[in-house]
Amino acid sequence: MLAIDIMGYSVRSPLMQFQAQTDLLAAMEVAADEAGLDRGRWMQQVSGDGELDVLPGDDDIVTVVGRYAPALERALAETNRKAAPDRRLRVRLALHHGALIMGPQTFFGPAGDAPVVVSRLLDARPLRRYLTVHPERDVALIVSKQIFREVVCSGFCALPPAHFHLIRTTIKGVVYQGYIYDPG
């Protein structure tokens, strides 16, 4: 699962919100193409300032973490290079994998622990703070503990484990753990 959210969306004017949505969609498409992923096959639950995606089971999670996330960073850097400073597009990106249920019986999107975990990690205060503390970054990436252990630490992922640091956050009385990517 992948969840993404635009920083500072609600303080933008309606026209700027529309442009941010357009730019984010374009950057996500470019990143998916560069990583060899087909976004048309993703189950997308869209909100005004982001989306929650269920990727097909045959999409390689190592590719999603190691190639898609850096490609998204490059695509947003290119978008922001052309944008006015007040229109800079910065996002939080969370990745997790786990069991879920979806289909006609799930009226409001996928159900299960996986969508809850990826959504909570996306909203984690340390991830929000990361973009504030690192104004040079366009993407704040967090991966779940499972993704870090099974994918990043596998040695197959292009992102080195040493560039991640553990965070713990409590949301609605539940403790969640994730790893924020910090290459600097």
Side-chain angles (χ1 to χ4, degrees), residues 1 10 26 45 60 66 69 72-73 84 87 96 100 115 119 149 164:
M1 295 202 74
S10 61
Q45 183 179 354
D60 179 34
L72 181 63
E73 178 96 36
R87 294 182 183 233
H96 176 61
L100 58 89
S119 296
R149 186 179 60 245
F164 286 82

Side-chain angles (χ1 to χ4, degrees), residues 37 41 55-61:
L37 301 168
R41 296 180 56 222
L55 283 64
D58 60 348
D59 273 0
D60 179 34
I61 191 66

Side-chain angles (χ1 to χ4, degrees), residues 33-114:
D33 286 346
E34 187 177 316
L37 301 168
D38 181 0
R39 271 187 37 85
R41 296 180 56 222
W42 298 5
M43 194 289 299
Q44 301 165 6
Q45 183 179 354
V46 178
S47 65
D49 59 348
E51 66 184 37
L52 175 70
D53 297 321
V54 178
L55 283 64
D58 60 348
D59 273 0
D60 179 34
I61 191 66
V62 173
T63 298
V64 174
V65 177
R67 292 182 58 203
Y68 177 79
L72 181 63
E73 178 96 36
R74 288 188 296 275
L76 287 176
E78 181 61 23
T79 297
N80 289 333
R81 187 180 63 75
K82 302 171 193 169
D86 66 334
R87 294 182 183 233
R88 187 167 167 218
L89 183 57
R90 301 174 74 214
V91 300
R92 296 184 324 278
L93 175 64
L95 302 172
H96 176 61
H97 70 96
L100 58 89
I101 265 180
M102 51 187 225
Q105 69 275 24
T106 55
F107 302 105
F108 299 111
D113 285 341

Side-chain angles (χ1 to χ4, degrees), residues 1-178:
M1 295 202 74
L2 176 153
I4 192 164
D5 187 77
I6 298 171
M7 177 183 171
Y9 183 82
S10 61
V11 298
R12 296 172 187 252
S13 70
L15 180 60
M16 290 171 67
Q17 289 175 355
F18 172 75
Q19 189 62 54
Q21 288 179 7
T22 302
D23 290 345
L24 178 57
L25 178 60
M28 291 177 74
E29 292 287 344
V30 165
D33 286 346
E34 187 177 316
L37 301 168
D38 181 0
R39 271 187 37 85
R41 296 180 56 222
W42 298 5
M43 194 289 299
Q44 301 165 6
Q45 183 179 354
V46 178
S47 65
D49 59 348
E51 66 184 37
L52 175 70
D53 297 321
V54 178
L55 283 64
D58 60 348
D59 273 0
D60 179 34
I61 191 66
V62 173
T63 298
V64 174
V65 177
R67 292 182 58 203
Y68 177 79
L72 181 63
E73 178 96 36
R74 288 188 296 275
L76 287 176
E78 181 61 23
T79 297
N80 289 333
R81 187 180 63 75
K82 302 171 193 169
D86 66 334
R87 294 182 183 233
R88 187 167 167 218
L89 183 57
R90 301 174 74 214
V91 300
R92 296 184 324 278
L93 175 64
L95 302 172
H96 176 61
H97 70 96
L100 58 89
I101 265 180
M102 51 187 225
Q105 69 275 24
T106 55
F107 302 105
F108 299 111
D113 285 341
V116 172
V117 169
V118 77
S119 296
R120 296 299 184 249
L121 291 175
L122 184 70
D123 287 335
R125 187 172 291 134
L127 189 65
R128 290 177 180 274
R129 191 171 37 247
Y130 182 85
L131 281 177
T132 302
V133 173
H134 296 279
E136 75 283 2
R137 303 280 301 170
D138 294 321
V139 176
L141 169 65
I142 189 168
V143 299
S144 66
K145 184 177 176 182
Q146 294 90 326
I147 294 239
F148 181 76
R149 186 179 60 245
E150 297 171 16
V151 177
V152 175
C153 291
S154 72
F156 295 117
C157 182
L159 304 179
H163 289 180
F164 286 82
H165 67 271
L166 175 67
I167 63 103
R168 289 180 182 85
T169 188
T170 303
I171 301 173
K172 297 186 178 184
V174 178
V175 177
Y176 297 91
Q177 292 183 22

